[in-house]
Amino acid sequence: MKIAVDAMGGDFAPAAVVAGAVDAARHLQGIERLVLVGDETAVRRELAAQRGRIPSNVEICHAAEAIGMEEPPVQAVRRKKDSSINRAIDLVKNGAAHGMISAGNTGAVVVSATLKLRTLAGIDRPAIATVMPTPRKPFVLIDAGANTDCSARMLVQFAMMGTLYAREILGCANPLIGLMSVGTEDSKGNETTKEAFKLLQESPMLNFRGNIEGHDLFEGEIDVAVCDGFVGNVILKTSESVAHAVGHWIKQEFRRNPVRLAGTVLLSGALRSMRAKMNPEMYGGAPLLGANGVCIISHGASSPRAIYHAIRVARDSVKLNLNEHIIRAVGESHVS
Amino acid sequence: MKIAVDAMGGDFAPAAVVAGAVDAARHLQGIERLVLVGDETAVRRELAAQRGRIPSNVEICHAAEAIGMEEPPVQAVRRKKDSSINRAIDLVKNGAAHGMISAGNTGAVVVSATLKLRTLAGIDRPAIATVMPTPRKPFVLIDAGANTDCSARMLVQFAMMGTLYAREILGCANPLIGLMSVGTEDSKGNETTKEAFKLLQESPMLNFRGNIEGHDLFEGEIDVAVCDGFVGNVILKTSESVAHAVGHWIKQEFRRNPVRLAGTVLLSGALRSMRAKMNPEMYGGAPLLGANGVCIISHGASSPRAIYHAIRVARDSVKLNLNEHIIRAVGESHVS
């Protein structure tokens, strides 16, 4: 198995990406080769900075350009033909790699994958599936940010892909699907979700619970939360923001009260273990499901550890043949 | 000043509503009369259950019907002409009350207010403005759930109403506005927010910061977050859900570790004071801005204390002449 790694993507690239990739090449079983895609000089410099011998299964594929985190995706993908994102996707397209990962400009990865790889049969647009932790069990959020404007049909396709992903990755036998809305009654929602609600109800292959609200997300009941990429992105980032604010608040409360001050050390320890458990790095990257090829998107602020886990997710996605499962499931349904 | 109170609205109605209203009639300055709107027998029973003498400034307006929390709003408002929500709105419409509050079916209050009171000149649809706490300072979220489908023009009107509300209620001289999106760059967003971005930039009266993400909400920089009611409702409920989950997680961490176990009491105290500070009850109800009359929406799970504060917000909204401010500001702008 060969995985392409966008060496220039992410806030700490290429250093963090190269470090994580070298670690994966050394320790992740089942990966034959890792291809670092990016500026050869820069990548070589980072490789030289690694401790110990560079594993022989790491190679470099030169790409002269890099797409910045803030560049408008469509224009950047079209203009920078020789960017690391485009080159990594090309490797997947040509069969030179079984999958790719990037911590770079998410929009650019989505656009490049959609243009070059196309979507799987029956899928209108690919969607990002993210695993989110709750105190009881994790759930899959789809779409976490690939498509800001979605049709009802796309939402149903997301539900189908999310179901397959939850089955393979979270091990749920019959994943329970919730449609993000503003109330649990059938009549609640916007025009698109109301239409999607009917279509989801009519899909015999899906275990559809109905509408869910923000309240229900972290209760640990549903396995898949379906929404458009705008709402998904808001959920993802608001959750991170609130979790951070609450930790900060509790610390403030401890510091303010002399009796509680004594417990600050205990609190810091508890916050640390909670963060470790909530850590998105552990879940590695989020797959762009529905693209005709394995593409894993990692957080822009990815550490070497996050890159390592993103490569693990890429390996697992290839091994599990996720795309074949999706094609078969969509073919058997009537949503395409 | 006379305020109408929907006595039948909310999960704990009429008991919690009557108790909160009696408290407000006793202790809130500036309120001449409170009108409890609802089933006369039920309301009298609750009044009799109150300790002490019923204040003489409390009266009852009989309404034979009540709209349930789960009923489809449009149909319920049309069919149940003699419902407590419709009757309370009628009192505002006829000038018999200066404002109304309800902890009942939010959609029904929005529909009844829009149909009976109409909107202020230059406002297409009313929106719910909610004050949300952050570790640094609170901000106004508008629309928190009145309109699931919005035009760009409506978002600009929300920005204007949110600005006036933040100025009057939070005391910000020049409230900083953020448009909820999926990235801070101008090009990010869905079709509607991209159009709204341009319109907001062209509004000289608004202090527009640009796009914001979920990350930015609780950082304490912006004063007004603008979004459609679908996204606003997701933000509101996801935030509550995450805050709850994080508190639960930290408690679990304390219980799991024998050293930390000793600190559980300290933690519980800190969580309690944090909750008191975050308590939405303290902010009372959320006004339905843009309706031609003062309507305050309180949480469905409102306690007597929450009802008390919702009545306080109604009193302040009437006193501040918020609607006049909105009419003037919209008249001077070019968004209507």
Side-chain angles (χ1 to χ4, degrees):
Chain A
M1 191 188 303
K2 203 163 160 181
I3 304 291
V5 177
D6 168 16
M8 314 308 282
D11 302 337
F12 310 117
V17 181
V18 170
V22 166
D23 201 27
R26 275 188 193 132
H27 303 296
L28 265 183
Q29 292 196 331
I31 292 188
E32 268 99 29
R33 302 197 77 73
L34 276 182
V35 190
L36 290 167
V37 186
D39 179 75
E40 189 163 355
T41 318
V43 174
R44 278 206 190 287
R45 194 183 311 127
E46 292 304 333
L47 280 173
Q50 297 303 307
R51 277 190 217 163
R53 245 235 221 107
I54 299 305
S56 59
N57 56 347
V58 173
E59 57 187 78
I60 300 175
C61 165
H62 179 65
E65 296 171 294
I67 294 176
M69 300 299 270
E70 317 271 275
E71 287 188 61
V74 178
Q75 294 92 312
V77 167
R78 291 220 169 111
R79 280 186 208 144
K80 294 188 170 172
K81 302 251 181 268
D82 198 18
S83 60
S84 56
I85 287 175
N86 274 334
R87 288 296 175 222
I89 296 274
D90 282 338
L91 291 176
V92 177
K93 187 183 173 189
N94 306 334
H98 294 87
M100 64 84 75
I101 75 131
S102 176
N105 185 316
T106 300
V109 177
V110 175
V111 169
S112 182
T114 309
L115 290 175
K116 288 170 183 278
L117 303 175
R118 307 281 167 172
T119 56
L120 296 174
I123 299 292
D124 293 339
R125 292 285 312 251
I128 298 171
T130 301
V131 176
M132 293 192 78
T134 84
R136 278 188 54 206
K137 62 171 194 219
F139 70 93
V140 172
L141 178 73
I142 183 169
D143 175 16
N147 311 281
T148 48
D149 294 274
C150 291
S151 66
R153 202 172 83 153
M154 282 165 70
L155 293 180
V156 179
Q157 294 168 359
F158 298 170
M160 194 151 289
M161 297 195 289
T163 294
L164 293 165
Y165 192 62
R167 204 176 282 158
E168 300 296 335
I169 296 290
L170 304 181
C172 311
N174 191 20
L176 193 63
I177 298 164
L179 177 65
M180 274 311 295
S181 188
V182 295
T184 49
E185 306 84 33
D186 303 17
S187 59
K188 290 287 172 76
N190 58 31
E191 295 309 321
T192 311
T193 66
K194 280 188 232 171
E195 198 188 329
F197 186 99
K198 281 186 210 145
L199 295 175
L200 285 166
Q201 256 186 335
E202 291 161 6
S203 302
M205 298 171 60
L206 297 174
N207 184 13
F208 181 49
R209 179 203 190 255
N211 284 333
I212 54 167
E213 299 179 85
H215 285 309
D216 304 305
L217 281 176
F218 296 88
E219 299 299 320
E221 193 201 345
I222 54 121
D223 301 299
V224 180
V226 173
C227 56
D228 68 45
F230 190 98
V231 169
N233 197 269
V234 167
I235 290 173
L236 199 66
K237 291 178 179 165
T238 303
S239 302
E240 286 180 13
S241 178
V242 173
H244 185 260
V246 170
H248 183 87
W249 244 317
I250 297 178
K251 262 195 197 154
Q252 268 188 355
E253 286 304 325
F254 266 76
R255 289 212 188 99
R256 185 161 298 159
N257 179 320
V259 179
R260 286 187 204 133
L261 194 60
T264 321
V265 181
L266 305 176
L267 176 71
S268 298
L271 285 174
R272 248 196 316 280
S273 9
M274 184 194 74
R275 263 186 231 120
K277 213 173 293 169
M278 285 181 61
N279 195 346
E281 292 186 3
M282 287 303 299
Y283 293 100
L288 184 66
L289 295 181
N292 186 17
V294 170
C295 301
I296 308 297
I297 289 165
S298 198
H299 202 287
S302 283
S303 62
R305 195 174 166 70
I307 296 291
Y308 174 94
H309 282 288
I311 296 171
R312 180 182 54 73
V313 172
R315 178 200 67 181
D316 296 345
S317 301
V318 174
K319 255 202 213 156
L320 290 167
N321 247 327
L322 261 184
N323 288 348
E324 293 303 316
H325 289 295
I326 293 172
I327 292 171
R328 202 169 322 126
V330 174
E332 287 167 12
S333 76
H334 306 279
V335 293
S336 63
Chain B
M1 190 188 305
K2 202 163 163 180
I3 304 291
V5 177
D6 167 17
M8 313 309 281
D11 302 337
F12 311 117
V17 181
V18 171
V22 166
D23 200 27
R26 276 186 191 133
H27 304 295
L28 265 184
Q29 293 195 331
I31 292 188
E32 267 100 28
R33 302 198 77 73
L34 276 182
V35 190
L36 290 167
V37 186
D39 180 77
E40 189 162 356
T41 319
V43 174
R44 279 207 188 287
R45 195 183 311 126
E46 292 304 332
L47 280 173
Q50 296 302 307
R51 276 189 220 163
R53 244 237 220 105
I54 298 305
S56 59
N57 56 348
V58 172
E59 57 187 77
I60 300 174
C61 165
H62 179 66
E65 295 171 295
I67 294 176
M69 298 301 267
E70 317 271 275
E71 286 190 61
V74 177
Q75 293 92 314
V77 167
R78 290 219 171 111
R79 279 185 210 145
K80 295 187 168 172
K81 301 250 181 271
D82 197 18
S83 61
S84 56
I85 287 175
N86 273 335
R87 288 295 174 224
I89 296 275
D90 282 338
L91 291 177
V92 177
K93 186 183 173 186
N94 307 334
H98 294 86
M100 64 85 74
I101 76 131
S102 175
N105 186 317
T106 300
V109 177
V110 174
V111 169
S112 181
T114 309
L115 289 175
K116 289 171 184 276
L117 303 176
R118 306 280 167 173
T119 55
L120 296 174
I123 299 292
D124 293 338
R125 292 284 312 251
I128 298 171
T130 302
V131 176
M132 292 192 77
T134 85
R136 279 187 55 206
K137 62 170 195 223
F139 69 94
V140 172
L141 178 73
I142 183 169
D143 174 16
N147 310 281
T148 50
D149 295 273
C150 291
S151 67
R153 202 172 83 153
M154 282 164 70
L155 293 180
V156 179
Q157 293 168 0
F158 297 170
M160 193 151 289
M161 296 195 289
T163 294
L164 293 165
Y165 193 61
R167 203 176 282 158
E168 300 297 335
I169 296 289
L170 304 180
C172 311
N174 192 19
L176 193 62
I177 299 165
L179 177 65
M180 273 312 294
S181 188
V182 295
T184 49
E185 306 84 35
D186 303 15
S187 60
K188 292 286 173 76
N190 59 29
E191 295 310 321
T192 311
T193 65
K194 280 188 235 172
E195 198 188 329
F197 186 99
K198 280 186 209 142
L199 295 174
L200 285 165
Q201 257 186 332
E202 291 161 6
S203 302
M205 299 171 60
L206 297 174
N207 184 13
F208 181 50
R209 178 201 190 259
N211 284 332
I212 55 166
E213 299 180 85
H215 285 307
D216 304 305
L217 281 176
F218 296 88
E219 299 300 320
E221 194 200 346
I222 53 121
D223 301 299
V224 181
V226 173
C227 56
D228 69 45
F230 189 98
V231 169
N233 196 270
V234 168
I235 290 173
L236 199 68
K237 291 178 179 165
T238 302
S239 301
E240 286 180 13
S241 178
V242 173
H244 184 259
V246 171
H248 183 87
W249 244 317
I250 298 178
K251 261 195 198 155
Q252 268 186 354
E253 286 304 324
F254 266 77
R255 288 208 189 104
R256 185 160 299 158
N257 179 320
V259 179
R260 287 188 204 129
L261 194 60
T264 321
V265 181
L266 304 177
L267 177 71
S268 299
L271 284 174
R272 247 197 316 278
S273 6
M274 185 193 74
R275 261 185 233 120
K277 213 174 294 172
M278 286 179 61
N279 195 346
E281 293 185 3
M282 287 303 298
Y283 294 99
L288 184 66
L289 296 181
N292 187 18
V294 170
C295 301
I296 307 298
I297 289 165
S298 197
H299 202 288
S302 282
S303 62
R305 194 173 167 70
I307 297 291
Y308 174 93
H309 282 288
I311 296 171
R312 180 182 53 76
V313 172
R315 176 200 67 181
D316 295 345
S317 301
V318 174
K319 255 202 212 157
L320 290 167
N321 248 327
L322 261 185
N323 289 347
E324 293 304 315
H325 288 295
I326 293 172
I327 293 171
R328 202 170 321 125
V330 174
E332 286 167 13
S333 77
H334 306 280
V335 293
S336 62

